Amino acid sequence: MSDGRKSTFSLDEIEPPPLRIRGESFPEKLLRKGKEEPFVPIGCVATTYFLVSGINSFRHGDAVRSQKMMKGRVMAQGATIVALAVYAGYSSLGGYEKIAAKLTNYSKIAVDTYGPGDEKGKEK
């Protein structure tokens, strides 16, 4: 394929490599997520408390307290799963900023269409 010509290029034609953006470390992400979704870590701590307390009660032979702690663990786990689902639904809608922007946009459309305080549908 070489036809004997040298290929020449200038340094202006070369694009600089993209900047590497440092990702979050695990502790940074954990802290950020804990601030964004506080009920999930609270639920995890509550679940762990009930689990450890229930196992200790079982080890010491207190069957009644052990059963209560295991029921508490199930409830704490359920609450944590509900919190995860709520946060997932919330983030799929775009979070608070996007929801507020949509509502503001809808109210502007309503005012533009019907006018402020227009009581549509009432007979005069």
Side-chain angles (χ1 to χ4, degrees):
M1 286 199 138
S2 174
D3 58 359
R5 290 186 285 177
K6 276 188 165 179
S7 67
T8 61
F9 61 90
S10 69
L11 292 178
D12 296 333
E13 295 174 6
I14 300 174
E15 291 184 27
L19 295 175
R20 287 188 66 141
I21 299 173
R22 184 182 71 83
E24 285 180 307
S25 67
F26 180 73
E28 290 170 340
K29 185 173 183 177
L30 190 65
L31 186 62
R32 180 179 57 84
K33 285 293 202 176
K35 287 179 182 176
E36 290 175 0
E37 304 169 356
F39 292 114
V40 174
I42 290 170
C44 290
V45 169
T47 301
T48 303
Y49 166 76
F50 283 118
L51 178 64
V52 170
S53 189
I55 290 172
N56 281 337
S57 297
F58 181 75
R59 238 181 44 212
H60 292 2
D62 189 357
V64 174
R65 187 172 194 285
S66 176
Q67 285 297 312
K68 286 182 182 179
M69 290 296 116
M70 289 301 127
K71 287 178 184 177
R73 178 193 58 85
V74 169
M75 288 190 287
Q77 260 183 308
T80 305
I81 297 295
V82 168
L84 278 169
V86 167
Y87 285 128
Y90 178 74
S91 67
S92 72
L93 292 175
Y96 176 76
E97 293 82 17
K98 286 188 179 180
I99 293 171
K102 285 180 185 178
L103 292 176
T104 304
N105 190 26
Y106 292 149
S107 64
K108 286 179 185 176
I109 291 171
V111 169
D112 291 344
T113 305
Y114 301 115
D118 187 19
E119 296 178 12
K120 187 176 178 182
K122 287 197 172 185
E123 294 182 27
K124 294 182 180 179

